Amino acid sequence: MQHDVIVVGVGGMGSAAADALAGGGQRVLALEQFGVAHSRGSSHGRTRIVRKAYFESPDYLPLLRRAYTLWDALPPELALQRVGCLVLGHAGSPVLEGAAATAAAADVPVEVLTAAEVRRRFPVFRPGPDEAALLEPDAGFVRPELTVAHLVGRARARGARVLTGQRVLGWDLVAGGVVVRTRDAVHEAARLVLTAGAWTPTLAASLGLPVRVQRRVMHFFAPRAPEVCAPGAMPTFIWDLAAGDSLYGFPLDGADGVKVGFHDRGPLTDPDRPQPDGSADEVAEVRAVLEQHLPDVSGRLLRSTGCMYASTPDEDFVLGLAPGTDGRVVVAAGFSGHGFKFVPVVGEVVADLAVDGGTSFDLGFLAPDRF
């Protein structure tokens, strides 16, 4: 066979997988239906939060520690920008309590702040008297488009073939390997990696993975008071507004302003349709929350950009060998909402699974057959 591994989908996870596989000496073919670092999926929008006080589950901590090491090994413009992360919520907030529990269990340095302390140290935030916060100084953000472009470039330098404009129509197991069909060609390899993001429900239909695709909107505002929104004055944040409803955001980022968005609000969507920009109603909805909680951010709207969340019912990832494929197919999916911080370590894990059939990480909680 001409290739050892075919990677389908070259967003965050696919670019990292192709890079890690090529770095390990594998003959890699990576197929992307759009271009490198495109804006049709889930790996765009300028910034992504990286944090260790993980309210989702402490099971992610081993992966996070390795991810931090790998982020810091990238060029400075791609490495983790440590501006901190502030998690806010009312007493009893599962997000706030989960972050505190993980921090305590894993010895992650954090500070517990009252509402008054938050307003004094970070005046851009206006928490109510019954709210509190957890500050993680070692958290921050990374840049998705630049990361994907860098990883694709390095994968190519390591010998990978990365082809764009190649829509995959389907794949099959064959004797000794897999066959992948595009509009233009049929490709064979010993192993297949599915990192297809929002297109997982279609391309992995035979695997029965319950991945749902929803539309989200990222809003960028020119703040009214830039001095309180600058990095150093304003950390990244996650604000648990109510059960099942949270707002996230980033400090002022040059011409892109301050980025904010709702983590939980958005309808199911068709990934084959370009996601529209934010509507007037969606902008008004987020502005109303900003006026209450971060009024200095609610200045002129710069842009509202649509994107997609591909996630599972339990909101944990799918990462492992696909059942019923004799170890020939690795699937990595359902990352949206909290996955990009794991990009470099997922690349390593996928490469280990594809080449060795296993990994040193305990991935039982992410197993594809758990559903």
Side-chain angles (χ1 to χ4, degrees):
M1 293 183 179
Q2 185 179 0
H3 305 105
D4 297 315
V5 185
I6 296 175
V7 177
V8 175
V10 192
M13 304 306 170
S15 61
D19 176 55
L21 284 161
Q26 297 293 299
R27 297 172 298 170
V28 177
L29 171 65
L31 302 172
E32 169 56 54
Q33 64 176 322
F34 301 116
V36 173
H38 63 82
S39 60
R40 288 287 302 273
S42 306
S43 294
H44 65 286
R46 184 72 177 175
T47 47
R48 290 290 188 279
I49 295 175
V50 177
R51 53 193 167 85
K52 285 182 184 174
Y54 222 59
F55 56 81
E56 289 84 350
S57 170
D59 292 337
Y60 286 97
L61 262 295
L63 291 166
L64 277 168
R65 292 189 184 101
R66 179 59 179 161
Y68 263 65
T69 297
L70 295 172
W71 282 118
D72 287 341
L74 291 175
E77 67 274 16
L78 304 177
L80 172 60
Q81 307 299 304
R82 285 174 165 83
V83 298
C85 183
L86 191 68
V87 178
L88 306 100
H90 292 273
S93 159
V95 171
L96 195 57
E97 291 188 349
T102 297
D107 198 27
V108 177
V110 295
E111 297 178 55
V112 178
L113 303 177
T114 65
E117 289 170 332
V118 169
R119 291 193 298 270
R120 183 174 66 252
R121 290 182 58 176
F122 307 110
V124 67
F125 299 104
R126 306 289 175 84
D130 60 341
E131 291 184 288
L134 190 81
L135 175 66
E136 182 183 348
D138 199 41
F141 66 85
V142 293
R143 300 199 179 281
E145 293 97 335
L146 293 178
T147 299
V148 171
H150 173 79
L151 292 174
V152 168
R154 193 166 69 179
R156 283 172 165 159
R158 290 170 163 177
R161 293 180 64 207
V162 181
L163 304 182
T164 58
Q166 299 293 309
R167 171 130 187 180
V168 172
L169 303 179
W171 57 273
D172 294 291
L173 299 176
V174 296
V178 295
V179 167
V180 176
R181 304 182 306 279
T182 71
R183 290 189 178 121
D184 304 320
V186 176
H187 304 281
E188 294 186 12
R191 300 287 186 270
L192 172 64
V193 170
L194 291 175
T195 47
W199 288 265
T200 299
T202 299
L203 290 175
S206 63
L207 304 179
L209 301 175
V211 175
R212 65 182 183 272
V213 181
Q214 297 169 289
R215 176 176 172 270
R216 294 289 191 271
V217 182
M218 300 172 283
H219 306 274
F220 298 79
F221 287 90
R224 294 169 178 165
E227 66 279 3
V228 299
C229 300
M234 177 183 181
T236 65
F237 71 89
I238 300 169
W239 202 320
D240 188 21
L241 303 172
D245 189 20
S246 58
L247 183 79
Y248 67 87
F250 299 80
L252 181 62
D253 194 19
D256 280 308
V258 175
K259 172 186 167 183
V260 297
F262 291 116
H263 172 68
D264 311 277
R265 303 184 191 183
L268 295 173
T269 191
D270 178 359
D272 285 325
R273 296 181 178 178
Q275 301 307 303
D277 292 340
S279 66
D281 286 345
E282 288 169 325
V283 173
E285 184 181 30
V286 74
R287 191 182 288 279
V289 172
L290 293 177
E291 289 289 353
Q292 179 180 357
H293 296 287
L294 297 101
D296 290 326
V297 170
S298 185
R300 178 172 55 90
L301 178 71
L302 298 173
R303 59 188 171 104
S304 288
T305 302
C307 70
M308 290 184 290
Y309 269 28
S311 54
T312 66
D314 61 14
E315 297 191 354
D316 288 320
F317 312 149
V318 174
L319 182 58
L321 296 172
T325 63
D326 297 325
R328 282 178 277 174
V329 179
V330 180
V331 60
F335 293 97
S336 294
H338 64 117
F340 199 90
K341 62 181 68 64
F342 295 91
V343 157
V345 68
V346 167
E348 285 192 341
V349 168
V350 166
D352 288 342
L353 291 169
V355 176
D356 301 324
T359 173
S360 61
F361 292 98
D362 181 0
L363 301 181
F365 73 112
L366 304 178
D369 62 359
R370 72 182 186 273
F371 302 105

